[in-house]
Amino acid sequence: FRVRFPGSYQPFTEHMVIVAGQSALARSMQVSPLRVNRMTVDNDASYLYLSAVLLDRTPSLVQFTHLPKAVVEKNDDMSWSGIESAAACADLCVNNGDIKCQSFEYCPADKGGCRISTLHVSTGTPTLVSNTCDLYSRTVNSFGKPEQTVLEAWSNLKNDIHIRNLQFNVFLDKQPDVLYTAVDAEIMFGQVAPSAQLPSLTGQFSYRVEIAY
């Protein structure tokens, strides 16, 4: 997708525009910034354009803080073996409908063991040293609330643009600050529908992103 903002643009502000723009887009769509991916900046004589990809959900693995060589005692509400990666174990945790998964242990040296749990390190749960496993504690969407669908996120964005509520500032030294207010958004590729299959980058993300959807 691409969002249009009236105003001038100076190339040296690109990084500031991307950081502030990504935050504003995520806030407007009511999604994690990790879902607003591959952003780019373009401009013409009258407008600044932000383009990005909206992921259908936050990649599972980046929802967790990695604690190497650690485990939680009795952290075994559910377990599997033969799991090929920490990202695959994270998917089992995030997408599990039987428990509210808050952490998992991945043990590549122990037959690809994956153990998920409702325990969370932030609640004071003690950890133990392990030579074979790593602990991952959930830091994004830790309450397990359903994420906004692509359709809901797009509707939120369009509504904010309609009421001129999608804005961000670029703060400059020795120059007046620049306020950008969005006036329009368009889909560059794909479609906004409940069945739309948009890209989901398992286990990876970038803060420098390109706006096209």
Side-chain angles (χ1 to χ4, degrees):
F1 67 92
R2 183 171 70 176
V3 183
R4 182 161 56 98
F5 300 82
S8 61
Y9 166 69
Q10 301 182 64
F12 76 87
T13 66
E14 178 185 13
H15 177 69
M16 292 180 283
V17 168
I18 285 177
V19 171
Q22 183 189 40
S23 178
L25 290 172
R27 185 169 56 250
S28 177
M29 291 186 285
Q30 300 176 34
V31 301
S32 165
L34 300 178
R35 288 180 62 184
V36 183
N37 218 285
R38 299 214 306 267
M39 285 190 61
T40 58
V41 182
D42 199 1
N43 72 294
D44 59 24
S46 302
Y47 296 98
L48 169 78
Y49 301 92
L50 286 181
S51 300
V53 170
L54 175 63
L55 305 184
D56 61 345
R57 62 184 176 87
T58 307
S60 297
L61 190 57
V62 300
Q63 298 185 38
F64 296 84
T65 296
H66 181 202
L67 304 173
K69 306 300 181 184
V71 295
V72 174
E73 190 174 12
K74 298 180 180 179
N75 185 33
D76 55 357
D77 289 308
M78 300 181 74
S79 63
W80 297 263
S81 61
I83 304 304
E84 62 182 14
S85 66
C89 190
D91 285 339
L92 290 171
C93 177
V94 170
N95 298 322
N96 191 282
D98 296 324
I99 65 171
K100 188 175 290 185
C101 182
Q102 299 294 337
S103 65
F104 70 89
E105 296 163 4
Y106 180 61
C107 311
D110 185 18
K111 301 179 181 178
C114 172
R115 301 192 290 266
I116 69 174
S117 174
T118 56
L119 299 177
H120 199 288
V121 173
S122 67
T123 61
T125 302
T127 61
L128 304 174
V129 175
S130 170
N131 292 323
T132 59
C133 302
D134 288 348
L135 175 65
Y136 294 79
S137 186
R138 198 164 189 174
T139 51
V140 175
N141 197 26
S142 61
F143 295 103
K145 296 179 181 178
E147 296 195 72
Q148 296 282 312
T149 66
V150 171
L151 179 60
E152 290 168 340
W154 180 251
S155 296
N156 294 339
L157 179 71
K158 295 291 283 185
N159 287 338
D160 261 11
I161 292 173
H162 179 70
I163 62 175
R164 300 182 65 80
N165 196 42
L166 175 51
Q167 299 179 323
F168 67 91
N169 280 287
V170 173
F171 300 101
L172 304 173
D173 292 333
K174 301 179 181 180
Q175 296 185 45
D177 298 339
V178 180
L179 173 65
Y180 292 104
T181 302
V183 295
D184 191 23
E186 60 181 326
I187 298 170
M188 304 303 292
F189 64 83
Q191 58 181 335
V192 181
S195 60
Q197 298 298 312
L198 291 180
S200 181
L201 308 181
T202 303
Q204 59 183 322
F205 68 94
S206 169
Y207 277 108
R208 289 186 62 81
V209 285
E210 170 184 352
I211 295 186
Y213 158 88

